[in-house]
Amino acid sequence: VLLSSTNHKVYGMETIAPHRGHVKWTRSLPANALWHTMVHGTTSGVTAVDHHSTMASHGHEILLVSALPSSSSSSEDGSMEIQWTCVDGTTGNIHASDTVKTSSPVVQVIPFYATSPTTTTTTTTSSSCRQMAMLLQQDNIVTMIPSSSSGQQEELTTMTTTLNGLYTHIVEKSPSSLESLQIQTSDKNKMEARLV
């Protein structure tokens, strides 16, 4: 699966002879998007420290994420609209899609893969998608897409049962800094990132 940000398209390519290299399916992405990204896999992989993984990451689901300018009359607060689409990477079939609004610009997209399909109810459909992502925003609020109670519960379980919790890192080229952030829940039962 190939993502072209300049053409605002995703291409599913055939990988088996005799049709290797041929386009099997395409999906158009919003042409007015500030950026696009494709999410596949998870943050929990086999490590040199504990030699095991708590998640399966060989699924067909791919999450296509596009950041759109906020449709509100005043977007001076930096809020964005994030359009996500969960597709089957082998066929291009759409499992679910929706749009969420963030409180500030997204600075990082963190992959998360559920061990079982999570039912996602959107404004248009009710479907399942194991591929999810956490959107780390500039104000350190973390939003999960697709949003589902079972997916959020699995993510919270992962954060609380791992030895040291869940961390992410941000590199700033100017002024040459590295920030380590721990993803955790606030007392309002929302996810946020805390600088460590």
Side-chain angles (χ1 to χ4, degrees):
V1 178
L2 304 172
L3 169 67
S4 172
S5 291
T6 54
N7 292 330
H8 306 286
K9 284 193 179 229
V10 177
Y11 302 91
M13 307 297 288
E14 187 65 64
T15 59
I16 300 173
H19 303 291
R20 181 180 292 160
H22 292 169
V23 176
K24 187 174 180 182
W25 58 266
T26 63
R27 285 270 164 240
S28 293
L29 300 172
N32 65 330
L34 304 170
W35 51 261
H36 305 287
T37 192
M38 183 169 53
V39 181
H40 184 257
T42 187
T43 55
S44 301
V46 177
T47 67
V49 177
D50 58 12
H51 303 291
H52 73 279
S53 173
T54 58
M55 308 269 176
S57 59
H58 296 291
H60 293 225
E61 292 100 338
I62 294 173
L63 202 60
L64 305 174
V65 182
S66 299
L68 307 172
S70 179
S71 62
S72 64
S73 57
S74 171
S75 60
E76 294 173 6
D77 59 356
S79 63
M80 305 174 88
E81 287 186 10
I82 302 296
Q83 178 183 323
W84 61 263
T85 305
C86 181
V87 300
D88 183 317
T90 58
T91 64
N93 293 337
I94 296 176
H95 292 299
S97 65
D98 204 0
T99 302
V100 297
K101 187 170 180 169
T102 63
S103 56
S104 66
V106 173
V107 295
Q108 190 174 52
V109 179
I110 306 164
F112 185 81
Y113 201 82
T115 54
S116 59
T118 59
T119 301
T120 304
T121 303
T122 67
T123 54
T124 56
T125 61
S126 179
S127 187
S128 64
C129 184
R130 288 183 288 190
Q131 185 62 62
M132 297 184 288
M134 293 175 276
L135 305 175
L136 175 60
Q137 299 165 49
Q138 197 170 41
D139 60 4
N140 288 345
I141 299 296
V142 178
T143 303
M144 180 166 35
I145 56 171
S147 179
S148 72
S149 57
S150 59
Q152 194 161 20
Q153 184 57 47
E154 187 168 340
E155 189 171 340
L156 292 172
T157 301
T158 300
M159 289 189 304
T160 56
T161 59
T162 55
L163 183 62
N164 294 314
L166 181 61
Y167 291 83
T168 189
H169 310 283
I170 298 177
V171 176
E172 293 287 341
K173 291 181 182 178
S174 177
S176 300
S177 66
L178 170 68
E179 291 182 341
S180 294
L181 301 160
Q182 183 179 22
I183 309 295
Q184 58 187 13
T185 57
S186 68
D187 39 341
K188 296 176 185 171
N189 210 17
K190 292 187 175 185
M191 287 186 291
E192 60 185 13
R194 181 180 62 88
L195 188 63
V196 291

